[in-house]
Amino acid sequence: MSLSTALSIAQSALMNTARQTSVVSRNVADADNPDYSRRQAVVTSTAPGARSVDIRRAANDLLFRQNLSALSAWSGQSALYSGMDQLGVSVNGVDNASSPSTAIGNLQQALQLYATSPSNQNLGASVVDAARQVVRSLNEGSTAIQDFRTQTDGQIATAVHDLNSLLSQFQDANTAVISGTRSGTDVSDALDQRDALLKKISDYIPVSTFTRGDNDMVVTTGDGTTLFETIPRTVSFAPSSGYTAGGAGNAVYIDNVPISAGAGGNTSASGKLAGLLQLRDSVASTMQSQLDETARGLITAFAETAPPLPNAAGLFTWSGAPAVPAAGTLVNGLAGSISVNAAMDPSAGGNPTLLRDGGANGAAYVANTGGGASYSDLLVAYGDRLDKPMAFDPAAGVSATSSVSDYAANSIGWFEGVRQQASTASDAKEALASRSAEALSNATGVNVDQEMSLLLDLEHTYQASARMMKTVDDMMTALLNAVG
């Protein structure tokens, strides 16, 4: 071997080691970056020496797809659970303290107490006060639900804007990958950026991917709708300025295909958008229907009767008074419009004794025709009606036949049951997302101990190459001295 060949080999080894050291140092520096994949400098031997010819990026497509799916499932479940927590407190208060069920229970107690001493008008006023609390609970609950739907609508609009922005960034990253692949340059950083954007996109919508020539990626949604192919598809949504009971929300469209909302406590929603749509159009709307049915049951239970005259609204009234809402039929927005009959409300100039005697709708409806101060039959009848089964609209999601008091309690039970399922599922899906991310990290991430060991090996290689160069230098010096 000539001295020039030996010198070339030593120089090549030094350059190769320097490049490998640079890659290892980069790995160590980005070890804590969850979006960074480990790089490896691949060395091949060529005459007259060795050189680094390629930098390869660690990848595991199967684990990456599983991680994207787990992230979407957790995001949808988390959106549902956190929204239900907020909605429950807004409507029912902490520990259901301000729920209609609690208020109805207080009304029943006040009514029973008044029935034991019907001559005590202070107790009659207390019943009306309790009725006002029931009305306030229903009115404020209805308002809270529609405000929540409006707020959720705004969150959907923000999510759609963010998703469109991410798709635009994805286009830039994908273009960089294609360009680098075609030119033969290192595209590891661009691939990291593209994968990181995919994770963020999967937070909003489930994604599926496949790669074409030149590393060009096509992205579709979980149901096959094209989300990105060369250019991003438009995600569109028209937010509403406000909601009323029974009002439908606008859909979110991807390339003119609507996104389906999730269903169930362990929701089928994958991605934040589907979870938010479920909150707005299913959970909150069902809760509103249950409040409306509770209000209808109260109006019916306290209606004044005087056969053959039609039943007329009594203690509780509404915009359609004096008529009583049709049995078993949902009236959208009734919980927001129910009120205490002014004829019985002392604060409005009314007389609470009308609750005991009847007659808020005229003399024909007077039950205490004798005017006895100890008359309690009507008060007892009202209490019985609160506990008597009646028909409710099954579309509201609670048992179709039950008493008003049971219906209000069952409404809370329905909500808490769904919320508990959402909580359990959220924990499970979070754990799955964490495990899948850990598995992906183990396969493609950086092990600092391993990198430091490799760095030590490279240091030894560098020292050996340096000694070789020193030896060649000494030999050339000796040769020159001999010639001189």
Side-chain angles (χ1 to χ4, degrees):
M1 180 187 297
S2 66
L3 289 178
S4 60
T5 299
L7 181 62
S8 177
I9 291 174
Q11 288 176 328
S12 177
L14 285 174
M15 293 176 60
N16 175 64
T17 303
R19 191 172 185 187
Q20 286 181 292
T21 302
S22 175
V23 171
V24 172
S25 299
R26 173 74 187 280
N27 286 340
V28 173
D30 284 304
D32 293 330
N33 183 352
D35 296 321
Y36 179 83
S37 291
R38 181 178 181 270
R39 314 292 201 260
Q40 181 180 7
V42 180
V43 180
T44 59
S45 298
T46 58
R51 62 187 178 88
S52 172
V53 296
D54 191 21
I55 295 179
R56 296 181 182 176
R57 172 178 175 270
N60 189 310
D61 291 340
L62 177 59
L63 289 177
F64 184 67
R65 287 195 296 269
Q66 290 177 341
N67 184 231
L68 291 180
S69 177
L71 287 173
S72 291
W74 178 34
S75 179
Q77 191 70 56
S78 178
L80 175 66
Y81 175 56
S82 60
M84 290 194 71
D85 257 3
Q86 177 188 344
L87 182 60
V89 173
S90 298
V91 176
N92 294 325
V94 178
D95 295 329
N96 301 315
S98 58
S99 67
S101 177
T102 300
I104 290 173
N106 294 336
L107 174 62
Q108 286 181 293
Q109 293 178 8
L111 190 62
Q112 292 169 358
L113 189 59
Y114 187 28
T116 61
S117 184
S119 61
N120 188 336
Q121 294 309 301
N122 289 330
L123 296 179
S126 296
V127 173
V128 177
D129 285 341
R132 277 199 296 267
Q133 292 297 324
V134 172
V135 166
R136 183 179 297 110
S137 176
L138 291 167
N139 292 167
E140 292 179 354
S142 181
T143 299
I145 289 174
Q146 300 313 317
D147 287 347
F148 176 83
R149 295 186 72 203
T150 302
Q151 176 185 339
T152 304
D153 204 70
Q155 292 176 354
I156 293 172
T158 299
V160 168
H161 175 272
D162 292 345
L163 179 55
N164 280 318
S165 176
L166 288 171
L167 289 171
S168 178
Q169 296 174 49
F170 184 86
Q171 181 181 14
D172 294 339
N174 191 61
T175 300
V177 170
I178 295 172
S179 177
T181 301
R182 288 174 178 172
S183 64
T185 58
D186 179 25
V187 294
S188 297
D189 287 345
L191 287 170
D192 277 354
Q193 182 184 11
R194 192 172 70 175
D195 283 356
L197 288 168
L198 275 176
K199 291 179 183 179
K200 293 179 180 179
I201 291 170
S202 68
D203 186 52
Y204 296 94
I205 194 77
V207 297
S208 179
T209 67
F210 65 91
T211 305
R212 303 186 294 195
D214 296 327
N215 273 327
D216 181 21
M217 182 171 282
V218 177
V219 184
T220 63
T221 64
D223 60 5
T225 303
T226 300
L227 192 60
F228 177 91
E229 185 177 9
T230 307
I231 60 173
R233 298 299 190 262
T234 300
V235 184
S236 58
F237 173 68
S240 299
S241 58
Y243 279 89
T244 58
N250 292 326
V252 177
Y253 295 92
I254 297 178
D255 204 19
N256 295 319
V257 178
I259 295 177
S260 299
N266 183 3
T267 181
S268 60
S270 192
K272 180 185 294 184
L273 282 171
L276 291 174
L277 289 171
Q278 181 180 356
L279 277 172
R280 185 196 66 183
D281 298 332
S282 178
V283 176
S285 293
T286 299
M287 203 172 183
Q288 177 68 58
S289 296
Q290 292 170 5
L291 290 185
D292 291 339
E293 281 293 83
T294 299
R296 186 182 60 78
L298 287 166
I299 294 171
T300 301
F302 283 89
E304 291 191 332
T305 61
L309 296 175
N311 292 353
L315 176 61
F316 296 102
T317 187
W318 63 302
S319 58
V324 175
T329 304
L330 176 66
V331 179
N332 287 319
L334 188 56
S337 64
I338 188 174
S339 61
V340 173
N341 196 329
M344 299 182 184
D345 188 354
S347 65
N351 183 3
T353 59
L354 291 176
L355 178 63
R356 181 196 66 187
D357 300 336
N361 292 281
Y365 289 87
V366 173
N368 184 16
T369 53
S374 61
Y375 181 81
S376 63
D377 292 357
L378 194 54
L379 298 175
V380 172
Y382 288 143
D384 290 342
R385 289 184 202 172
L386 286 174
D387 291 325
K388 183 180 179 180
M390 65 173 66
F392 290 95
D393 194 327
V398 183
S399 57
T401 303
S402 67
S403 67
V404 178
S405 55
D406 285 345
Y407 188 88
N410 291 340
S411 176
I412 292 178
W414 170 85
F415 182 84
E416 291 300 327
V418 175
R419 193 186 69 82
Q420 183 57 48
Q421 291 177 18
S423 173
T424 302
S426 180
D427 291 341
K429 291 177 182 179
E430 180 182 9
L432 179 59
S434 297
R435 285 197 297 270
S436 66
E438 182 180 356
L440 180 62
S441 177
N442 290 338
T444 65
V446 176
N447 184 315
V448 176
D449 291 339
Q450 180 181 348
E451 298 299 315
M452 295 305 292
S453 176
L454 180 58
L455 197 61
L456 185 61
D457 291 340
L458 290 173
E459 181 183 354
H460 294 158
T461 301
Y462 186 88
Q463 291 172 348
S465 300
R467 284 196 298 270
M468 177 183 290
M469 183 165 285
K470 178 66 169 57
T471 299
V472 171
D473 181 65
D474 290 343
M475 292 175 68
M476 292 190 70
T477 299
L479 180 63
L480 290 173
N481 289 336
V483 172

